[in-house]
Amino acid sequence: MTLHCIEAVHTQIDPAHKNFSFELFGLDYMIDQNFKPWLIEINTNPSLDSTAGLLCKLVPEMVENVFRVAVDPLFPPPSEWPLSRRNYIPESCLETNKWELLFDEREFLMKQTQTPNELVNENKDQGS
């Protein structure tokens, strides 16, 4: 659901402002008595207040991991820095990171140029 929302509006972002940039969205969900998720709203400027106990832990970790996913691959720390100081994204960001990049416009645009047969073959490969 989240990915479909982003795919639906990504072309509305001003191209002059999206080179070497990223955006953090806040999505509010509600889960009903049947455990069905309902999207309530999407915020382009989510609150990063850490007024509650859980938020005091989640918000700083989220900010750190957003930078690991969005910035470190483009601007990694110098190789001469010791590993303890580099602390950048590992080969697989999911090893130590609980967050992941959901939408990469470059990948999305590549899929838009694929033929239907190529998409079917790609989906078969991913399913096996």
Side-chain angles (χ1 to χ4, degrees):
M1 186 180 325
T2 300
L3 182 56
H4 292 303
C5 291
I6 295 169
E7 287 175 348
V9 299
H10 86 276
T11 59
Q12 303 303 311
I13 300 172
D14 182 359
H17 292 106
K18 67 181 181 180
N19 285 338
F20 296 106
S21 64
F22 64 91
E23 189 157 354
L24 173 68
F25 294 95
L27 285 81
D28 296 340
Y29 287 94
M30 185 179 290
I31 300 180
D32 68 16
Q33 66 273 12
N34 297 317
F35 300 104
K36 180 179 178 181
W38 293 87
L39 177 63
I40 305 300
E41 67 178 351
I42 299 175
N43 301 297
T44 57
N45 188 17
S47 172
L48 298 180
D49 288 342
S50 52
T51 54
L54 181 59
L55 290 176
C56 287
K57 182 173 175 21
L58 284 178
V59 170
E61 285 181 13
M62 183 268 310
V63 171
E64 172 69 26
N65 284 299
V66 163
F67 282 103
R68 286 183 178 201
V69 169
V71 178
D72 285 355
L74 297 174
F75 304 102
S79 59
E80 63 269 8
W81 283 11
L83 284 175
S84 61
R85 186 168 176 207
R86 277 191 258 163
N87 193 25
Y88 75 102
I89 195 165
E91 288 298 316
S92 169
C93 70
L94 297 179
E95 289 174 10
T96 60
N97 188 354
K98 297 174 186 155
W99 306 89
E100 65 181 293
L101 180 65
L102 285 182
F103 180 77
D104 185 332
E105 184 178 28
R106 295 169 296 187
E107 289 179 17
F108 181 81
L109 293 174
M110 285 176 51
K111 285 185 179 185
Q112 296 300 321
T113 61
Q114 289 178 323
T115 66
N117 285 338
E118 290 172 327
L119 287 172
V120 167
N121 290 335
E122 182 179 309
N123 287 336
K124 283 182 185 176
D125 291 342
Q126 289 176 355
S128 45

